[in-house]
Amino acid sequence: MNVEEAMNKLKEEGYKHTDKRLDMLQLFSDESRYIAAKDVLESLQDKYKGLSFDTIYRNLSLFSQLGILETTELDGEKKFRFSCSTDHHHHHLICLDCGKTKHIDECPMVTSPISDEGFQVVGHKFEVYGYCEKCGETKRKLNEYEKLS
Amino acid sequence: MNVEEAMNKLKEEGYKHTDKRLDMLQLFSDESRYIAAKDVLESLQDKYKGLSFDTIYRNLSLFSQLGILETTELDGEKKFRFSCSTDHHHHHLICLDCGKTKHIDECPMVTSPISDEGFQVVGHKFEVYGYCEKCGETKRKLNEYEKLS
DNA sequence: AAATAAATCGGAATGATTCTTATGAATGTA
DNA sequence: TACATTCATAAGAATCATTCCGATTTATTT
């Protein structure tokens, strides 16, 4: 999935092509990380001065419905990222600071699937959390600084 | 961990013993399921007429800090359950309707641990979602009913 | 260019959670 | 037991993310 494919999908499904939608998709396509609604707004409100939260949320939710974006819930916020183009099922390692992700190819539900007669299984979530190199370094420096004062 | 141990832990750490805390813990100990703050309030406000959300949230967060409760975020809400007494690391299968849980003994981070030089890993989440027997049955019946009308 | 259906704005409404301030309750000590 | 101290609580205000609504604007179709 890329921006062009996503825009085509929108048109196919009867949704309109707008500059805001294009820019939103471009934003996600540029970064392999989870982004919250407020960050999307922030990125675009220079270009679109009256940009409303409603527009952001409506489009994020539309994009998710259409499979253009993946979503997760973290730290009290819904976060979104461009759907990975790899065609195999996978999970992510996620930076708790900046949302940056890395693929995890193994899926526990594939390697040792959970099934239970008492439960009808409909989905699963496997996420590994940590700090990416950059954010880890920032934390280390801040920590050092704190110790000085 | 049981209610008594939890109350002892509170005292050890300098927190006071109150009836509300006891009842909250009792509520969790009775049920092996994830419960949201509003449900805790609902369960206790017959007995404690002026019971405030603040009390619930403050205590839930205290219990979590002390390791008395486990927590997860689901459907836009923080949910809590009594810490499992088993001493080995494990995960849960969770009913999306009522929060009921079942243990999953296998952990993907143990069977095939994820590590990455670029990321400093600090945690992970593995949850399987579904519907328990009871809620699945309810859904089936509702569905049938919808078709009739 | 006009018609129409969808998208957007702006702000109000909602729902979960946290904060604040004054009051009340539990514990330790005399 | 009485008192002081410290923690816990109530009530409601404040905050934050998210959704909803009515009026207006824009993209597409004709």
Side-chain angles (χ1 to χ4, degrees), chain A residues 25-92:
Chain A
L25 291 171
Q26 196 61 57
L27 174 65
F28 281 103
S29 122
D30 287 346
E31 318 218 27
S32 62
R33 54 194 203 89
Y34 275 106
I35 305 177
K38 63 168 184 285
D39 299 320
V40 177
L41 182 73
E42 211 168 298
S43 296
L44 298 188
Q45 65 187 358
D46 277 349
K47 184 164 175 188
Y48 304 100
K49 69 165 191 158
L51 185 54
S52 139
F53 259 117
D54 189 48
T55 302
I56 303 294
Y57 277 110
R58 191 169 14 79
N59 285 327
L60 287 176
S61 130
L62 175 64
F63 295 160
S64 303
Q65 262 173 242
L66 299 180
I68 294 167
L69 296 182
E70 292 179 46
T71 172
T72 194
E73 212 171 319
L74 205 51
D75 204 27
E77 281 178 318
K78 284 174 187 158
K79 309 213 174 184
F80 303 83
R81 56 158 292 141
F82 219 76
S83 277
C84 295
S85 36
T86 62
D87 49 1
H88 71 287
H89 177 83
H90 69 279
H91 297 280
H92 286 117

Side-chain angles (χ1 to χ4, degrees), chain A residues 10 70 117 124:
Chain A
L10 279 175
E70 292 179 46
E117 328 80 50
H124 66 280

